[in-house]
Amino acid sequence: MRADGLLLLLCLPAVGQTVVKGGDSTRSLIETLRKDPSNFAAIGTLARRTDDPDVIPALKDVFAQARISQALVEPDSLGMRLSQMVAVYLLERGVRDDIYFDELAGYARATILSDPPADVFRTDQSGKEDPRLGVSPAFGLWCAERNMNFAACWRKLASLPLNFTLLTAGLDPRAIPVLREALGMSNAVMVGVAVAGLSRLNDGASISLIAQACARFSPERGELCAMSADNYRDPRAEILFDRFVRDPERLAKMKAIWRARASDKNSPPTGILPK
């Protein structure tokens, strides 16, 4: 599953919370959040009411409290903090204050600094990871540095790509320098999610950088890296598919789908969280 597809998990109301109905008044939702600022269902319902002038101030209040509490979104939200979720909602609705972008960029930059290793497991003679061979020394060291056992460390690793996906909320060009920096990471999955973000932002100037990043990996991983650029509208992105997608039939099918999407001016990339 692509890392951005895991965002579907975030559309579920939190365990133990009452599902908020769309017919509830804005005032009642705000009152609910005053009593429980971490009510995920109430936040999502409120955020979809784009025409109500009381919504943005209420979300700003929730964000401020979430930053203090450092609360996580529940249930299995891959470590996503409530402040990140609310920042995404605000950015997608045109609130471009630095504080909301910086909240997302901070977690993305921390992910870059963490730079998880390329492999979780040892590789066989062909260079492919094989769990039967045990954990790779590099990943074992990465976990030890964080005082984590394998299970906790695996969950941590799985949570990191989400920080890059959230950074592209609102298609904000301020994300581009951060995502470009992520192209130099050791782990191909992390690089692929950064590529996906740059493609959503349609940053044509990053295409050559993406080609260099994908070329650092094995043919299999380089192909997945390049295929993550499928949201580009810039025709120059086609060179990525030609260079890295090895199977002619797969290449032809992918390019046909990509060209149709790229030529459809009425279907730009959508936001991260559901409206």
Side-chain angles (χ1 to χ4, degrees), residues 3 13 38 46-47 62 64 83 93 95 99 105 132 159 166-168 175-176 203 207 217 219 236 253 258:
S38 65
L46 186 67
V62 172
S83 59
R93 281 145 185 80
V95 181
I99 189 172
R132 295 172 299 180
S159 75
L166 296 176
L167 184 63
T168 65
I176 290 172
D203 181 46
I207 292 174
F217 301 111
R236 291 175 293 177
K253 289 181 179 178
W258 174 76

Side-chain angles (χ1 to χ4, degrees), residues 7 88 91-92 96 101 104 162-173 175-176 179 193-194 196-201 270-272:
L7 285 168
V88 167
L91 286 166
E92 287 197 334
R96 299 287 171 161
F101 175 78
L104 301 175
L162 184 62
N163 293 324
F164 295 143
T165 303
L166 296 176
L167 184 63
T168 65
L171 305 180
D172 194 318
I176 290 172
L179 294 172
V193 180
L198 290 166
S199 78
R200 292 188 73 251
L201 292 161
T270 58
I272 293 296

Side-chain angles (χ1 to χ4, degrees), residues 48-145:
R48 287 189 286 272
R49 300 186 178 177
T50 56
D51 297 331
D52 193 315
D54 292 332
V55 168
I56 297 301
L59 290 176
K60 288 182 176 181
D61 288 343
V62 172
F63 173 82
Q65 295 179 64
R67 285 193 79 195
I68 295 171
S69 69
Q70 293 290 294
L72 295 176
V73 174
E74 298 292 347
D76 183 9
S77 58
L78 296 178
M80 180 184 183
R81 298 192 182 276
L82 190 64
S83 59
Q84 290 176 281
M85 185 192 75
V86 180
V88 167
Y89 276 131
L90 287 165
L91 286 166
E92 287 197 334
R93 281 145 185 80
V95 181
R96 299 287 171 161
D97 302 32
D98 287 346
I99 189 172
Y100 307 119
F101 175 78
D102 290 343
E103 182 72 6
L104 301 175
Y107 287 105
R109 292 189 178 104
T111 296
I112 295 170
L113 288 175
S114 74
D115 195 27
D119 301 310
V120 172
F121 301 104
R122 294 178 184 270
T123 56
D124 60 20
Q125 293 182 346
S126 66
K128 293 183 179 180
E129 286 185 85
D130 187 345
R132 295 172 299 180
L133 299 177
V135 176
S136 75
F139 187 66
L141 177 61
W142 193 80
C143 297
E145 290 172 345

Side-chain angles (χ1 to χ4, degrees), residues 259-274:
R259 286 171 179 166
R261 182 189 301 166
S263 64
D264 186 355
K265 305 302 181 183
N266 295 320
S267 62
T270 58
I272 293 296
L273 295 180

